[in-house]
Amino acid sequence: MLIVHKYGGTSVGDLERIENVARRVAAARAEGKDLVVVVSAMSGETNKLIEYAHHFAQTPSRREMDILLSSGERVTASLLAIALQEMGYPAVAMTGRQAGIRTDDTHMFARIEEINTEAMRRHIDAGEIIVVAGFQGIDQQGNVTTLGRGGSDLSAVAIAGALGADACEIYSDVDGIYTTDPRIEPQARKLERISYDEMLELASLGAKVLQSRSVELAKKMGVTIVARSSFSDAEGTIITEEVEGMEAVLVSGIALDKNQARVSLRDVVDRPGVAAEIFNQLAADQINVDMIIQNASTDGTTHLGFTVPQSEIEQAKKSIAAFEEEIGGMDFDEQIAKVSVVGVGMKSHSGVAATAFTAMADNSINIEMIATSEIKVSMVIDEKFGELAVRVLHEAYALDR
Ligand code: ADP
Ligand code: ASP
Ligand code: MG
């Protein structure tokens, strides 16, 4: 039996916690399991490294950032391997390169293209516990790359898929996936199971408990993820294919994303092609546009609003500047939050959105933008009401029961 464990930043946050992880890995080993352990950097470490770079440059070169950022995970991987060795277990630390993780060359957001499992297999066959530095790989030219924030989850899923592991257990400071962030709503309830599609929506809509790309890959490769806590022995949540009976649940969770910003373009010249030009420019500048609304044209002009990640707002301003002549005025608002209701049951039920809107109205929370899909309803609201909206919606759908 081959199991992949992944320990996030909080779980390896200090030396004592690394020791705690070593004991957990050793316990799994004692059960006779082959193990590949993927680790994140100590919590706060990646942010600290980014700050260091910003001391020297506003936009440091991405190639060098990847060498810098990949170092955090190497620290924890090597320390965990040393701790295991000291406990009498054969362990070997590997960087992304040594583990055979090959990516494309998009520095800081690289995609894994293939994993050459030869070296990992050799160590497993030799009876060793492998500890892999997560969040990193190398491109075709041998440059170090990183996989985007939270990317160690992706490393773990990709390795589990490539090795055909029996399970991929992702350990953090929560013992599973809850109906919403338990730090915001203490009444949140732990889910026994959740489908890939729902987890993907929750993750991409702000529930950072799993990185969304890792869920996407798990679905594609058929890797079952178990979300568990490194601080308890609780069962955890299984993330898997949608199973019968799941539809009985109307709504499975609420997500909050406070890292969005809104761009409002007033009095945009209303001629065919304007939207295409603006959004093509944003795409060319690699800006991830999320929600878009356009008002019906009145006097030959329209209003166009959309959201982008906060970290991309400065670039968005630059991109839009090219259209000055066709836009009457523009505003940028970073004090917004996106709150979303997710559930596969929505596919076959009407009235789910109405319940959300009513709950917001009853609490005098103004909805500024709305987007829906088959399995979600997202609303943009004033950032200061973000947590309140989560609690109100949690209550409206009786998610604590
Ligand atoms: P790690 O550092 O181990 O990768 P993260 O901090 O990325 O862990 O993710 C765990 C955190 O995710 C929890 O502390 C919790 O506050 C947050 N979270 C957000 N939404 C949820 C949810 N629906 N269920 C559980 N945790 C959630
Ligand atoms: N250390 C990286 C980050 O903070 C990757 C990870 O933790 O998964 O984003
Ligand atoms: Mg994480």
Side-chain angles (χ1 to χ4, degrees):
M1 179 126 116
L2 173 64
I3 309 285
V4 172
H5 281 196
K6 180 260 167 175
Y7 293 93
T10 328
S11 303
V12 294
D14 58 33
L15 300 180
E16 223 168 277
R17 289 185 174 182
I18 292 177
E19 180 132 23
N20 169 56
V21 167
R23 278 193 297 270
R24 298 188 76 100
V25 171
R29 175 59 162 206
E31 292 170 14
K33 292 171 182 159
D34 285 329
L35 288 161
V36 177
V37 183
V38 176
V39 289
S40 289
M42 291 175 168
S43 62
E45 199 57 31
T46 307
N47 288 340
K48 198 175 83 189
L49 294 170
I50 292 172
E51 263 173 45
Y52 285 169
H54 284 157
H55 175 80
F56 299 104
Q58 210 182 7
T59 45
S61 79
R62 293 178 168 236
R63 180 187 175 283
E64 278 56 45
M65 282 305 281
D66 273 349
I67 297 179
L68 177 67
L69 298 187
S70 65
S71 68
E73 269 68 12
R74 293 176 181 215
V75 170
T76 41
S78 44
L79 289 176
L80 178 58
I82 291 169
L84 282 164
Q85 289 165 359
E86 211 40 38
M87 290 165 70
Y89 292 87
V92 57
M94 300 180 96
T95 63
R97 173 200 303 264
Q98 289 172 319
I101 299 174
R102 238 245 309 118
T103 71
D104 65 11
D105 60 4
T106 321
H107 284 292
M108 297 180 80
F109 296 102
R111 292 195 155 264
I112 295 177
E113 288 186 335
E114 80 180 59
I115 299 186
N116 179 343
T117 57
E118 230 170 273
M120 283 195 286
R121 286 247 178 256
R122 226 181 312 119
H123 288 295
I124 293 169
D125 292 344
E128 289 164 323
I129 299 171
I130 300 178
V131 186
V132 182
F135 178 52
Q136 57 187 277
I138 53 159
D139 69 9
Q140 198 105 45
Q141 267 66 52
N143 293 304
V144 176
T145 52
T146 62
L147 310 176
R149 297 310 303 271
S152 296
D153 292 339
L154 183 63
S155 307
V157 168
I159 288 172
L163 289 171
D166 297 283
C168 181
E169 301 178 359
I170 295 190
Y171 291 85
S172 70
D173 58 353
V174 275
D175 59 6
I177 310 300
Y178 280 71
T179 46
T180 194
D181 190 338
R183 287 180 206 262
I184 297 176
E185 172 53 274
Q187 303 290 328
R189 191 170 40 82
K190 189 166 86 182
L191 303 166
E192 206 177 306
R193 282 170 175 269
I194 183 168
S195 69
Y196 289 125
D197 289 339
E198 287 169 305
M199 190 64 237
L200 191 55
E201 289 284 1
L202 284 177
S204 48
L205 292 169
K208 64 165 191 161
V209 59
L210 288 177
Q211 189 221 31
S212 59
R213 277 167 61 197
S214 71
V215 182
E216 208 175 343
L217 187 69
K219 180 181 180 187
K220 201 162 121 195
M221 300 188 83
V223 172
T224 298
I225 299 177
V226 188
R228 302 186 63 181
S229 164
S230 63
F231 303 106
S232 83
D233 289 320
E235 283 283 331
T237 300
I238 300 170
I239 297 113
T240 182
E241 285 300 341
E242 192 178 318
V243 291
E244 246 177 275
M246 269 187 178
E247 291 100 307
V249 185
L250 190 61
V251 166
S252 53
I254 314 287
L256 176 65
D257 183 353
K258 293 170 103 176
N259 291 314
Q260 296 275 319
R262 187 185 44 200
V263 178
S264 306
L265 307 180
R266 280 176 279 112
D267 305 322
V268 181
V269 177
D270 192 23
R271 62 160 175 83
V274 168
E277 285 164 26
I278 293 175
F279 290 107
N280 275 324
Q281 184 60 49
L282 291 164
D285 296 333
Q286 299 196 331
I287 292 168
N288 291 293
V289 175
D290 181 23
M291 291 161 90
I292 302 175
I293 50 166
Q294 183 179 7
N295 289 10
S297 167
T298 43
D299 48 359
T301 63
T302 62
H303 293 321
L304 198 55
F306 55 91
T307 61
V308 299
Q310 248 168 39
S311 57
E312 294 171 16
I313 188 79
E314 291 307 320
Q315 179 57 50
K317 287 180 189 173
K318 284 185 203 152
S319 308
I320 293 161
F323 299 93
E324 218 173 2
E325 305 227 315
E326 300 185 280
I327 298 171
M330 39 186 112
D331 302 308
F332 303 91
D333 186 358
E334 297 193 25
Q335 310 309 317
I336 60 160
K338 181 169 64 176
V339 60
S340 307
V341 179
V342 173
V344 286
M346 285 184 206
K347 284 185 202 170
S348 46
H349 288 78
S350 52
V352 174
T355 302
F357 304 154
T358 306
M360 304 292 258
D362 288 348
N363 289 275
S364 309
I365 302 173
N366 189 39
I367 305 172
E368 299 171 15
M369 289 170 105
I370 298 170
T372 61
S373 81
E374 245 194 339
I375 66 168
K376 70 127 200 266
V377 179
S378 292
M379 293 159 280
V380 166
I381 58 173
D382 189 330
E383 186 170 33
K384 65 175 181 280
F385 298 128
E387 282 82 7
L388 173 65
V390 167
R391 288 190 286 265
V392 159
L393 291 168
H394 201 266
E395 169 83 39
Y397 294 102
L399 290 177
D400 54 338
R401 270 160 272 155

